Amino acid sequence: MTVTAPTTAAARATGRKTFTWFNPAGKHATDYELYTVGQQSDPKDWLKVDWPLMFDSGRAPFTEEASKIRSSRWRDWRDPFQVWQRPYVQESNYEEQALERMIPGALDGGGLQAMNTSWLREAVGRYYAAWPFAEYGLFLALCYAVRESFADTVMFATAFEATDKFRHEQDVVRLLLEIKERDAGFSDAVARDAWMKDPILVPTRETIERIFSLNDYVEILVAVNLCFEPLVGRLVKDEFLAHNAPYNGDVVTPMILSAVRRDSSRHLATTKELVSFLVSDPVHGRLNHNVISDWIRKWTASSTQAALAAGALFRLPGITVARGGAEALANVRAEQVALVAGLGL
């Protein structure tokens, strides 16, 4: 008689076995997907009980009605840059440490003495010093979008964008403090008044306030990343400050703005990917296309008015500019038109 040894569990469990509750974009789930997808549970999916907590009104914590946009496949959207917490913190830390070393070194190495006085007092001390108010307003608007996002992947991408805005605000403040330590005559005391009352900045402030008042989180992303930043942000931060700083002996402002430009490019690409995903939805694509097109027209008009007013920066007395405000404004408007056209909107 032949006796067959019982098959052990170890013998049966051969090979590499994995389990996920979602469909990865590739053959295997990435670290980004493992740490992001499914973090926002829903009773319709894998949360087998109703919401344990509700708003006082009885509204669920996350609801599709938080936006006019609809999707039949929210769970399938992915951040094209696959940003998640650990690498984000690591890269941001490297960047901030670099700025912490380079800015004082540049200022102490003769950078402050070489700076055009009019540029230092007006462009930096008044207008760039006012820009933290803009970054903070966008940060608050994006925080609301984080809270209302109906998809976990959208929520995380928006959270990192909001964090970037907060970092950029603090970088400007740090620059101002570094200058104050070295120049007793420097002051940014006029910056708040400029933000509240200066005709150059008032349309920018009012546009951000209107974005902040929005209740639709997708509209916030469209307004910020497809309209405000490509028009006003590009004009002020890139065309005026970064491009003209070297002509006025300013070597430190472009250091900060190089990081800002990289992050803004990422936010733009992420929002473009989201919009393309939404307008190609097999069920709701046409509706989404019409809604987003209306939003873009609305916020392009508001942002263009803000950019027109900010164009006066190029005429500040005593500074040197490589090209006039009209040309710079034409450049950013052409880029934004091409951006919208590329999305088919």
Side-chain angles (χ1 to χ4, degrees):
M1 182 176 66
T2 302
V3 178
T4 303
T7 303
T8 64
R12 292 194 302 268
T14 59
R16 184 175 183 271
K17 300 182 182 295
T18 59
F19 168 77
T20 57
W21 54 84
F22 58 86
N23 294 323
K27 291 183 178 180
H28 300 288
T30 63
D31 285 345
Y32 156 76
E33 289 177 310
L34 291 173
Y35 289 116
T36 303
V37 180
Q39 297 303 307
Q40 182 175 304
S41 299
D42 190 303
K44 296 178 182 177
D45 296 321
W46 44 76
L47 186 64
K48 300 306 180 184
V49 296
D50 198 4
W51 291 108
L53 294 173
M54 300 277 192
F55 285 98
D56 291 342
S57 63
R59 203 205 86 171
F62 302 100
T63 174
E64 197 171 24
E65 285 66 38
S67 175
K68 292 181 180 179
I69 296 299
R70 295 290 182 269
S71 177
S72 60
R73 49 180 186 169
W74 273 121
R75 196 187 301 172
D76 296 336
W77 187 77
R78 300 289 184 269
D79 178 356
F81 294 90
Q82 300 209 0
V83 181
W84 61 283
Q85 188 265 349
R86 182 180 295 173
Y88 175 83
V89 171
Q90 185 179 50
E91 291 177 12
S92 299
N93 181 48
Y94 289 154
E95 188 174 275
E96 295 303 322
Q97 285 184 347
L99 290 175
E100 188 175 6
R101 288 169 173 79
M102 290 190 301
I103 289 176
L107 292 173
D108 291 334
L112 186 57
Q113 290 74 21
M115 206 178 299
N116 177 345
T117 302
S118 296
W119 176 269
L120 177 63
R121 304 301 182 210
E122 291 298 310
V124 176
R126 179 186 298 270
Y127 294 105
Y128 195 32
W131 202 254
F133 293 109
E135 299 287 9
Y136 186 66
L138 296 174
F139 163 76
L140 291 177
L142 291 164
C143 284
Y144 178 82
V146 172
R147 174 60 195 83
E148 293 297 309
S149 292
F150 192 61
D152 38 29
T153 50
V154 177
M155 175 180 67
F156 279 99
T158 306
F160 291 121
E161 179 178 356
T163 305
D164 285 336
K165 298 296 185 189
F166 204 45
R167 286 174 44 237
H168 299 158
E169 171 210 343
Q170 293 176 335
D171 287 340
V172 179
V173 173
R174 180 170 60 184
L175 170 62
L176 298 173
L177 293 174
E178 294 282 359
I179 294 174
K180 284 181 183 179
E181 288 181 1
R182 293 161 175 80
D183 183 351
F186 176 80
S187 174
D188 61 354
V190 295
R192 187 180 186 280
D193 193 60
W195 178 248
M196 296 300 297
K197 301 176 183 177
D198 194 313
I200 293 177
L201 293 180
V202 165
T204 293
R205 174 176 58 79
E206 292 176 343
T207 298
I208 292 176
E209 288 172 347
R210 286 193 289 269
I211 293 173
F212 175 67
S213 70
L214 293 174
N215 295 317
D216 190 307
Y217 69 93
V218 182
E219 185 176 2
I220 290 173
L221 295 175
V222 169
V224 172
N225 293 322
L226 299 185
C227 302
F228 181 86
E229 284 292 358
L231 289 166
V232 188
R234 278 272 293 122
L235 182 74
V236 174
K237 292 182 283 188
D238 293 343
E239 291 285 342
F240 176 67
L241 287 167
H243 193 69
N244 293 315
Y247 294 94
N248 293 275
D250 181 358
V251 298
V252 293
T253 299
M255 293 180 187
I256 296 174
L257 292 173
S258 64
V260 174
R261 187 181 301 110
R262 185 200 66 183
D263 290 336
S264 295
S265 296
R266 190 182 84 246
H267 305 152
L268 173 59
T270 299
T271 304
K272 286 169 61 178
E273 182 73 17
L274 176 62
V275 168
S276 296
F277 174 83
L278 294 170
V279 300
S280 64
D281 187 274
V283 178
H284 306 285
R286 175 49 55 185
L287 168 65
N288 292 340
H289 180 282
N290 294 339
V291 171
I292 294 173
S293 294
D294 287 343
W295 287 342
I296 288 178
R297 282 191 290 271
K298 168 185 172 183
W299 291 108
T300 293
S302 179
S303 297
T304 298
Q305 291 303 310
L308 286 168
L313 290 169
F314 292 79
R315 300 190 295 274
L316 292 177
I319 69 168
T320 300
V321 295
R323 54 175 171 256
E327 183 181 353
L329 181 60
N331 287 342
V332 299
R333 293 181 74 175
E335 290 173 2
Q336 199 258 352
V337 168
L339 162 65
V340 174
L343 291 169
L345 299 168

